[in-house]
Structures are given as structure tokens and as C-alpha cells.
Amino acid sequence: MPYYESPVDGTRLHYVDHGPACGAVAVFVAGAYLGHEMWEHQMLPLAEAGYRCLGLDRRGHGRSDDVWSGYDLDTLADDLQGLLDHLDPREATLIAHSVGTAEVVRCLTRHGSSRVARAALVCGVSPGIIRSQRLPDGLDPAVVRADEEFFRRDRPAWFTHFADAFFAVTSAGNEVSDAYTRYLIDRCLVATPRAATGVRSVVTGLDLTAELPAVDVPVLVVHGTHDTSAPLAHTGERLARLVQNAVLKVYENGGHGLFFTHAERLTADLREFLGAAGATAATTGICRMLAAAGIGG
């Protein structure tokens, strides 16, 4: 079971490494409360198609260490950069969901893009969703405080209460079994209370409006029309306008959980976005040497 140490404080962080070692690299960053397993419907088919898929469990999530500190955006971005430094990929594609999109943006603006060729931001909360001076149409802070009280009082009930809205199940085509909903809630509850509330604090204070224009790699923005967690007009559309080289793909009826309800379409879009990198990786010297030796996927 692979781990590496955070460059910030030595926290032991878990990751998975699926697919051929010489494949084009896709690094998956999960949304709040979830570990890498949320991406199974993207990572597995992409790894089977020849891409090297890396999935990170952020601190306090999944199989990473349960620690008290480090739930600020700079540290979380440094943890992500630590994985890139540990594995030393070239021309990686960063793929993130929800609050993970903020970690990717901060990683790029804080550490640069020497290892990164592109980024896909799925259902992102960037640039921010809470009302502030630069985000005047964001959520009312009083509503957010009431939601935080509910979350702290009864996390299992909170996840259950919002599950249907998360997947936008009342919209056409969004079929989710009770078993899968229960599974994902159980995975969310693996995140420690400290990690869960810490990541929520990142969202509460998030405003990347001034930071997004500094992102210097091509960006694919994917968002659903029925995302109640991160409304399209406040996040995906605004994000695509602020990033210099961004393409926005809007999924009709998609909710925040479109990684499941629209899994095949998302995987296809990601594969298309990764396509040029895949063609490049297939012709690298290391792949040719591995193939000649009968090694690799």
C-alpha cells in the first residue's frame, strides 16, 4: 500500500497508482470527505486504456493519516505537490472535483506547472461560493452557519439529507441505487470529524477570483446544470471566464455527483482531454524500452 510523506509536516499520505508505468499520467483529487475511490468509474477505464492513474487521499481522508493540523488550502496544495515530487511525473494532467479544484488551482499558482500539462476541474467550488466583496451573489453566510451546525450535530443525517440533491435524482436520467448512495455516504464518514470540518472551512473562506488568471495550463471545466452544491453560474461559468485557456463543458441535468450519474460521458471527455498526452507517452523512449523487454501494460 503506497504512501509518501507530506513535505509540510511529514504526515503519511496514501495514494494509488493504477495502469502502466509508462502511460500518460492523470492525477485525481477527490472532493470533500471522499478519498480516491470516488473516481473508480474514471480511473479504472482510463487505466485499462493505458493511462497511469494516480489517486490521492488527502490528510484525514481515506487511508491517509488522521492528523489535527494542515487543513488550510496552502498545506493541502503542498501535499498534492508532494505527490508530484515523490513520483516525478512529466506533463501530468490534474483532475479534481469540488474543493479539490481549489487545491489544484493553489498548487499551480503556488508551485508552478513544470510537472503539469493541463487540468480538468469538475463541479468545482472555485472561485468561491460564499458571499463576499468579490462574490456578491454567493451564499448567505447565515445560511452557511446554520448548515455547519447541522453538519457538526449529525454528520450521517446531513449526508443522508442532501444525497438526492447531490446526485440531482429528480432530474431526468440521474438514476442512483440506494446501495450506491449508502456506499458513498459510508465512504464520506471515513473522513475524520476534524478533517471534514477543516475542509468545509476551506470552502467557507474560498475566494480565488484574483488567483485564477495566473493558471497557465489548458483547463477543462466540467459542470452540471443542476449542481446545487456549486451552482453553475457562480462557479463553473465564472471559473471558465477567469482562466485564460479554459473550455467549459456543461452537462444537462448534471448534479454535483455527475462523476457517477454521467460517468461514461465524463470518462470520455477526460480521455479526449488526455488524448494528446496519451499519444505522446506511447512514443517515449521508456515505453519503447519496456515494450521491447516485454515489461509494462
Side-chain angles (χ1 to χ4, degrees), residues 35-95:
H36 70 275
E37 66 280 344
M38 70 154 279
W39 290 111
E40 68 170 288
H41 300 289
Q42 287 72 50
M43 289 184 66
L44 180 60
L46 288 173
E48 290 173 338
Y51 297 92
R52 183 184 181 188
C53 296
L54 309 175
L56 168 66
D57 289 350
R58 73 170 57 78
R59 56 180 60 217
H61 290 61
R63 296 174 182 170
S64 290
D65 280 356
D66 174 12
V67 293
W68 179 255
S69 60
Y71 301 104
D72 59 276
L73 190 54
D74 281 352
T75 299
L76 296 173
D78 291 351
D79 287 348
L80 173 56
Q81 182 65 33
L83 176 63
L84 299 178
D85 291 341
H86 176 68
L87 294 176
D88 194 29
R90 294 290 184 269
E91 297 190 352
T93 299
L94 304 183
I95 302 169

Side-chain angles (χ1 to χ4, degrees), residues 3-242:
Y3 288 87
Y4 70 102
E5 291 187 354
S6 164
V8 178
D9 56 9
T11 294
R12 198 175 66 138
L13 301 171
H14 174 252
Y15 68 96
V16 295
D17 187 347
H18 295 162
C22 62
V25 176
V27 182
F28 289 83
V29 184
Y33 323 121
L34 290 164
H36 70 275
E37 66 280 344
M38 70 154 279
W39 290 111
E40 68 170 288
H41 300 289
Q42 287 72 50
M43 289 184 66
L44 180 60
L46 288 173
E48 290 173 338
Y51 297 92
R52 183 184 181 188
C53 296
L54 309 175
L56 168 66
D57 289 350
R58 73 170 57 78
R59 56 180 60 217
H61 290 61
R63 296 174 182 170
S64 290
D65 280 356
D66 174 12
V67 293
W68 179 255
S69 60
Y71 301 104
D72 59 276
L73 190 54
D74 281 352
T75 299
L76 296 173
D78 291 351
D79 287 348
L80 173 56
Q81 182 65 33
L83 176 63
L84 299 178
D85 291 341
H86 176 68
L87 294 176
D88 194 29
R90 294 290 184 269
E91 297 190 352
T93 299
L94 304 183
I95 302 169
H97 176 262
S98 192
V99 71
T101 65
E103 293 168 69
V104 164
V105 170
R106 180 59 55 86
C107 182
L108 289 170
T109 59
R110 185 171 168 84
H111 296 284
S113 56
S114 62
R115 299 184 186 278
V116 179
R118 60 190 66 77
L121 307 180
V122 181
C123 303
V125 295
S126 304
I129 60 174
I130 312 301
R131 185 182 302 162
S132 66
Q133 184 175 359
R134 287 188 294 195
L135 301 170
D137 53 355
L139 296 175
D140 184 345
V143 173
V144 177
R145 287 193 294 270
D147 184 68
E148 178 70 11
E149 291 175 4
F150 179 16
F151 185 83
R152 286 174 175 265
R153 182 174 64 253
D154 193 339
R155 283 192 302 144
W158 187 92
F159 287 121
T160 302
H161 178 77
F162 289 107
D164 284 355
F166 182 85
F167 292 112
V169 297
T170 59
S171 299
N174 294 339
E175 297 181 3
V176 184
S177 68
D178 291 342
Y180 184 79
T181 299
R182 183 71 259 168
Y183 162 76
L184 206 67
I185 291 173
D186 288 344
R187 299 311 305 165
C188 286
L189 290 169
V190 170
T192 67
R194 169 59 178 159
T197 55
V199 170
R200 287 174 65 87
S201 294
V202 170
V203 177
T204 301
L206 189 66
D207 184 353
L208 300 178
T209 306
E211 198 165 328
L212 284 166
V215 173
D216 62 354
V217 297
V219 172
L220 171 65
V221 180
V222 176
H223 221 96
T225 58
H226 288 61
D227 190 333
T228 57
S229 300
L232 173 62
H234 299 164
T235 53
E237 290 180 349
R238 181 176 285 149
L239 171 62
R241 289 196 299 268
L242 289 169

